[in-house]
Amino acid sequence: MRMDKDILKTPATDVEQILKTALTELGSTKNLDALNDWRIRYLGRKGIVIQLKRSISKLPEKERPKFGQVINETSKTLEEQLMKHETKISSSNDTSVSDDIDITLPGIPINNGSLHPITQTIREICESFSSMGFEIIEGPEVELDYYNFQMLNIPKHHPARDGFNTLWIDKQDDEGETPMLLRTHTSPMQIRTMEKQDPPVRMIVPGKVYRYEATDSSHEWHFSQIEGLAVDQGITFADLKGTLYEFARKLFGDDVKVRFRCDYFPFVEPGAEMAIDWNSRTGDNNKEENWIEILGAGMVHPKVLKAVGYDSNKYTGFAFGIGVERISMLKNNIDDIRLFYNNDVRFLSQF
Ligand code: PHE
């Protein structure tokens, strides 16, 4: 840097040299601190430009206007270049990271989300059945009357339809019928699968189902099911019981208490329900048994096998439909099904 006293003696032609030096120095500043030093040196209140301006009065009168003009232009150029360089430095990552952001500071913690308890239970159930050789399939939630009822041995006007309070889709076909609905169970996937595939069949279908019901602590108008179907030669009711008991043991442990009772579904014969003792789950073995139904099941009705073109003399099979929410309630000791759908983070963050 030039000494002040030299500058005061600088003739007009040397101002050009000062400008050159100043711009070279400016170009080599790499951060805002260095830039500020440069600004003070050249454009500050006691800077080189001011000193040059003051030196005007010491020149012979006729040289003053010319020298003054040169200095003004120089000053303008320096201001402009300073602004440009400042923008360049501020937007370059190098300097802004090193000057403005301390990358060594610890981050602000963010709470991680987790899978919904129902998703977790679905995965656990699927895992238990796939370890027994069942394939996992999915199907449509908007279904046809044909698959949801008719092919499952529930023809039009059959009283069993009353048990499935159905949400119909308001769309008429050519005959003025409304053939579409929100599936009331995952059982239509039994038909869709058997239509496509010859035996042996061993599959499960997780998914949502809809029933137009009032809600209470163990009923919701929509919930999740896992359908299961196994068809082959020689399958018996013992296979059904063995498979479902094994499933219960995998989910709840070896000491789980299960109960099978007769039940009626038009698409199985015989039909059954399986329940689990709530009190044995909560460890309160002194209380009376408190059975909670978790699935419907049965041997696939020969009429259903015939409807999909299977030889019902050669093949038999079992089917089941598990209520996922009920399983999750038992596993996690939750006493109200509606908690799953309230989206209350105090509830959800426990899983
Ligand atoms: N689909 C029946 C229901 O939703 C359950 C079920 C499935 C029963 C398969 C028997 C066989 O209630």
Side-chain angles (χ1 to χ4, degrees):
M1 182 183 154
R2 282 161 185 269
M3 299 306 292
D4 292 358
K5 55 181 185 322
D6 298 334
I7 292 161
L8 295 177
K9 284 186 240 145
T10 303
T13 48
D14 276 5
V15 176
E16 246 178 79
Q17 187 53 47
I18 293 177
L19 178 64
K20 257 193 187 170
T21 313
L23 292 180
T24 314
E25 282 178 22
L26 178 67
S28 63
T29 56
K30 293 276 182 282
N31 58 47
L32 294 173
D33 282 346
L35 195 70
N36 205 36
D37 289 347
W38 183 92
R39 187 208 320 271
I40 292 169
R41 189 155 71 242
Y42 285 97
L43 299 166
R45 274 189 298 130
K46 292 177 189 162
I48 293 172
V49 170
I50 290 279
Q51 291 177 46
L52 285 169
K53 282 181 180 165
R54 284 194 190 128
S55 72
I56 296 176
S57 61
K58 300 194 174 111
L59 290 173
E61 202 152 335
K62 65 176 185 13
E63 282 178 35
R64 287 182 199 170
K66 174 99 177 91
F67 191 63
Q69 199 187 346
V70 171
I71 292 171
N72 280 341
E73 274 163 17
T74 304
S75 164
K76 212 173 132 204
T77 310
L78 291 179
E79 301 262 7
E80 281 168 7
Q81 292 307 313
L82 170 69
M83 262 161 62
K84 270 196 197 159
H85 200 66
E86 189 166 18
T87 320
K88 197 171 136 198
I89 284 185
S90 319
S91 62
S92 100
N93 277 344
D94 270 9
T95 50
S96 57
V97 165
S98 60
D99 285 354
D100 304 338
I101 300 174
D102 182 354
I103 57 167
T104 63
L105 279 177
I108 300 165
I110 299 171
N111 285 337
N112 275 339
S114 58
L115 292 175
H116 191 278
I118 295 303
T119 307
Q120 292 183 24
T121 307
I122 288 176
R123 292 196 180 178
E124 212 178 320
I125 298 172
C126 287
E127 171 62 36
S128 84
F129 280 104
S130 55
S131 74
M132 291 189 264
F134 284 74
E135 189 186 346
I136 301 166
I137 297 178
E138 284 183 314
E141 288 178 27
V142 176
E143 193 41 286
L144 291 167
D145 181 317
Y146 178 78
Y147 288 114
N148 196 84
F149 292 128
Q150 293 168 42
M151 290 292 277
L152 287 162
N153 196 27
I154 313 177
K156 290 207 168 124
H157 312 299
H158 190 287
R161 288 190 178 218
D162 295 347
F164 295 100
N165 303 317
T166 308
L167 288 153
W168 294 91
I169 303 283
D170 188 16
K171 192 175 174 212
Q172 293 188 349
D173 63 12
D174 296 343
E175 282 138 40
E177 307 264 338
T178 48
M180 291 199 308
L181 45 81
L182 292 184
R183 67 178 174 194
T184 60
H185 51 177
T186 40
S187 302
M189 280 308 287
Q190 292 185 30
I191 307 296
R192 286 182 180 271
T193 307
M194 289 190 286
E195 269 185 353
K196 278 208 207 116
Q197 183 183 332
D198 288 332
V201 174
R202 228 184 316 170
M203 61 90 175
I204 54 166
V205 188
K208 274 192 112 175
V209 301
Y210 303 83
R211 292 188 195 172
Y212 182 53
E213 292 178 334
T215 69
D216 61 27
S217 61
S218 58
H219 294 87
E220 257 290 356
W221 66 272
H222 61 116
F223 55 99
S224 310
Q225 280 192 335
I226 295 190
E227 192 75 13
L229 176 70
V231 183
D232 202 351
Q233 292 187 43
I235 290 192
T236 69
F237 198 85
D239 296 312
L240 178 157
K241 275 187 92 172
T243 306
L244 292 178
Y245 191 24
E246 174 63 11
F247 148 73
R249 278 201 302 262
K250 276 186 194 295
L251 257 88
F252 296 110
D254 282 348
D255 53 353
V256 66
K257 275 202 212 161
V258 303
R259 182 188 70 183
F260 285 93
R261 286 206 309 196
C262 293
D263 203 346
Y264 169 71
F265 304 95
F267 37 94
V268 289
E269 183 58 37
E273 59 144 71
M274 187 173 99
I276 288 195
D277 177 25
W278 177 284
N279 289 339
S280 75
R281 287 298 313 137
T282 55
D284 197 346
N285 286 316
N286 299 323
K287 274 205 194 153
E288 260 178 59
E289 284 166 344
N290 179 10
W291 296 103
I292 301 221
E293 185 193 334
I294 57 156
L295 61 87
M299 299 305 289
V300 181
H301 201 294
K303 275 193 181 173
V304 173
L305 294 175
K306 277 184 203 140
V308 296
Y310 283 11
D311 181 349
S312 63
N313 292 316
K314 191 169 165 195
Y315 296 107
T316 50
F318 65 82
F320 55 87
I322 301 170
V324 176
E325 278 75 356
R326 299 265 176 95
I327 304 275
S328 190
M329 288 167 80
L330 283 159
K331 278 192 76 76
N332 299 306
N333 204 8
I334 296 163
D335 58 8
D336 194 326
I337 194 171
R338 292 165 295 195
L339 287 165
F340 289 124
Y341 306 105
N342 289 347
N343 270 345
D344 187 332
V345 80
R346 289 169 300 179
F347 171 76
L348 294 172
S349 60
Q350 299 174 76
F351 301 94

